[in-house]
Amino acid sequence: MSDLKALTGRFITFEGGEGAGKTTQITLLAERLSARGLEVLVTREPGGTPGAEAIRSLILSGAVNAFGPLTETLLFFAARRDHIEKTIRPALDRGAVVLCDRFTDSTRAYQGALGAVDAATLDALETIVQTGLKPDATVLIDIPPDEGLRRAAVRRGAGSGLDRFEAESIAFHDRVRSAFLEIAAGEPSRVIVVAGALDAAALAHLIWSELGARFAVPAVADSTA
Ligand SMILES: Nc1ncnc2c1ncn2[C@@H]1O[C@H](COP(=O)(O)OP(=O)(O)O)[C@@H](O)[C@H]1O
Ligand SMILES: [Mg+2]
C-alpha cells in the first residue's frame, strides 16, 4: 500500500472522442473522491478560466477555421497557458485532485489528425506552455466514432447545430481515435485505456480500480467523525 503515490495534488485528465463519456465519468469520479474527503477540482479544455472559455467559444464556433490549423493550435495553447496558471497549478499546489476534461493529448490527436501541425511543433509548444506540467494519469475512453457521435447527437437534442469538431467526417474521427490509441501505446504507465461501450456504472467501477492500482485511495470518510 505505502508505495502507492497519494492522490492529493494529482492531475488526472480524461480523453476520448465526442460522446465517449468523459464528462459523465469525471462527474462520477469527482463524487467518489469528494466522499473520501479529498478536494476535487473539475475543469475542462479548452476552458477553465474566463479567458480560456472565451477562446473555447471562438474555436468551437468554427470562426477560427479560416485562420488555419497552426493558429487554431496556438489558440488552444494560449487557452491552456491561462488555464494552467490561474486554475490548475493553484489547485494542485493546495493539494486538490484536478480532473480535467481533455488536455494536450486532445490537441495532439485532433490537430495531428488534421494533418497540418507536426509533432515537433506540438512538442515545442508543450514545453513552453506547460513548463513541466504533465498529467499524473490519463483515462482514455475509447469508443467507435459512430457510437460516440450518436450519443453526442442525443445529448445535444434536436435543433442545435454541430460544433466545429462534431461536424468533421467519420474518417476524421477514426484518425483521432487511432491517434489517441497511439499515444496510449507509447505511454502505457500514464494512459489507462477503457472501453466506452461499457455502461456508465461499469466504466466508473473499472476506472476506480485502475486508479486504485496506481494511487493510494483513501477510505470513505466516516460520517460520524
Ligand atoms: N457508458 C455510457 N453508455 C451509454 N451512454 C452514455 C455512457 N456514458 C455517457 N453516456 C451518454 O452519452 C452522452 C455523452 O456522454 P458525455 O459524458 O457527455 O460524453 P463526452 O463528455 O465524452 O462527450 C450523454 O448523453 C451521456 O448521458
Ligand atoms: Mg463532455
Side-chain angles (χ1 to χ4, degrees):
M1 280 277 109
S2 55
D3 52 345
L4 292 177
K5 296 186 281 185
L7 252 179
T8 49
R10 298 290 164 195
F11 182 39
I12 302 175
T13 60
F14 282 68
E15 298 283 4
E18 322 297 323
K22 300 178 294 298
T23 304
T24 303
Q25 292 303 320
I26 285 178
T27 305
L28 294 172
L29 180 59
E31 282 167 9
R32 252 175 149 146
L33 293 172
S34 299
R36 283 160 177 78
L38 291 163
E39 185 197 344
V40 182
L41 180 94
V42 172
T43 188
R44 68 171 181 184
E45 288 223 337
T49 64
E53 290 287 337
I55 294 174
R56 177 192 182 92
S57 304
L58 196 62
I59 293 170
L60 294 184
S61 74
V64 169
N65 290 17
F67 297 163
L70 179 59
T71 301
E72 184 174 80
T73 301
L74 293 171
L75 285 170
F76 275 107
F77 274 104
R80 183 161 300 138
R81 177 68 180 189
D82 198 51
H83 189 204
I84 290 170
E85 279 192 314
K86 298 205 175 91
T87 302
I88 297 174
R89 277 277 190 213
L92 295 174
D93 287 347
R94 63 175 188 264
V97 183
V98 175
L99 305 181
C100 190
D101 198 328
R102 298 193 180 279
F103 198 62
T104 307
D105 294 323
S106 277
T107 313
R108 286 183 191 284
Y110 284 77
Q111 270 58 46
L114 287 168
V117 182
D118 60 64
T121 301
L122 294 170
D123 287 345
L125 289 169
E126 178 175 346
T127 301
I128 293 165
V129 166
Q130 291 173 220
T131 57
L133 179 71
K134 274 227 158 206
D136 293 293
T138 296
V139 177
L140 170 60
I141 306 180
D142 179 53
I143 192 165
D146 54 349
E147 171 63 11
L149 292 169
R150 193 190 58 73
R151 286 185 192 171
V154 172
R155 176 189 58 197
R156 191 175 53 244
S160 54
L162 299 173
D163 78 23
R164 185 252 177 282
F165 292 107
E166 287 172 342
E168 293 281 352
S169 66
I170 285 283
F172 169 85
H173 290 286
D174 277 330
R175 286 201 300 278
V176 170
R177 182 189 192 190
S178 302
F180 275 133
L181 290 171
E182 266 174 46
I183 292 168
E187 291 178 78
S189 61
R190 173 174 68 89
V191 185
I192 300 162
V193 185
V194 293
L198 293 170
D199 69 59
L203 201 48
H205 183 78
L206 180 59
I207 291 168
W208 184 251
S209 64
E210 289 289 340
L211 289 174
R214 288 167 172 76
F215 300 101
V217 177
V220 180
D222 183 349
S223 57
T224 62

